[in-house]
Amino acid sequence: MEIKISRFVREYGDYYVRFFVTSKDKTFETEAMVSGSEAAGKSHDEISALALIKVKPNIDYNMSQPDELPSEDIGDMIGKEVKVAPAALQSIRVLGPASVFTTAAGPVSSNFNAVPIDQYGSIIESSAVVWSYSPSEPGIEIDASTGRLTANRPDLAASVVVTISAAIGGVVGTLQVAVNPPTGEDVLGRKVAELETESVQTMLAVAEAYETAVVNNTQREKEGVDTMLRLTEVYDLFLQQQVEIEALKAEVSTLRGC
């Protein structure tokens, strides 16, 4: 086997070395690139030796393969214009959080975005996206035009997994999202809020009961005063009657003495 350099060029700081390999049964070429950083401080001979090390596995592989049919030029393809098909929507990549945590304080929202991809793997402009999710869950909604997911489930006990879908025409992209219950801190906060509410309600109830008691006591005191006044009037009447009785008795005694 004989190996000779058939091309040795430097482009933009990197070296490209092509080798022409011949043996009794085979002839082929193989090439390697030596970067500028790899070639720094090395001579051309050292660079070619480094390139040969890189292509050695390829040379060994080609030498181990059975003889192939000779190459053949397909004449009708030479000079033929290659037309590239215009970009067309091939897939949709959905971007957004994989997990959403509900809160005890109220609704929580997350935004999702759709990235249209063409058949060449490039991002393209596309028409409006229609958003949806499944399966349907109470308290979870998504804006069909913006992709904004809102979860209002402070009572959620276990995580649920929903599939976010972005559709453009007949092409659909999806992303699975876990909607999780409130964290321990949120649950504690909700409990504190509930206790505070209960405390306020209790205080209001106590205040109302106190006001009722005061009103009742005032009413009873008023009734007691009225009763005492009536009793006083009766007692005064009784005393007046006693005076009149004593006066009558005195008059009777006087008449008897006569």
Side-chain angles (χ1 to χ4, degrees), residues 13-143:
D14 299 326
Y15 290 85
Y16 294 86
V17 184
R18 183 179 300 166
F19 298 94
F20 186 73
V21 183
T22 59
S23 67
K24 181 180 178 181
D25 302 318
K26 295 183 179 181
T27 300
F28 59 90
E29 286 185 310
T30 183
E31 185 175 279
M33 187 272 286
V34 179
S35 68
S37 59
E38 292 174 319
K42 293 182 174 62
S43 66
H44 288 171
D45 288 339
E46 291 173 328
I47 293 172
S48 63
L50 181 57
L52 181 59
I53 292 173
K54 290 188 174 186
V55 299
K56 187 65 166 57
N58 188 37
I59 293 174
D60 292 341
Y61 173 79
N62 280 296
M63 294 301 295
S64 66
Q65 297 303 304
D67 292 340
E68 299 178 358
L69 294 174
S71 62
E72 179 182 0
D73 289 335
I74 309 299
D76 61 349
M77 294 300 296
I78 305 302
K80 188 174 183 178
E81 181 182 0
V82 179
K83 295 183 179 180
V84 179
L89 180 63
Q90 183 74 23
S91 62
I92 300 173
R93 186 180 305 157
V94 178
L95 304 179
S99 293
V100 175
F101 286 87
T102 58
T103 67
V108 61
S109 297
S110 298
N111 293 318
F112 292 85
N113 296 295
V115 180
I117 307 295
D118 66 11
Q119 70 269 39
Y120 305 113
S122 300
I123 299 174
I124 60 173
E125 295 291 335
S126 187
S127 56
V129 180
V130 177
W131 293 90
S132 62
Y133 85 93
S134 62
S136 179
E137 287 285 339
I140 300 177
E141 299 178 349
I142 191 168
D143 191 304

Side-chain angles (χ1 to χ4, degrees), residues 139-153:
I140 300 177
E141 299 178 349
I142 191 168
D143 191 304
S145 59
T146 65
R148 185 176 179 85
L149 182 76
T150 300
N152 187 13
R153 289 291 302 275

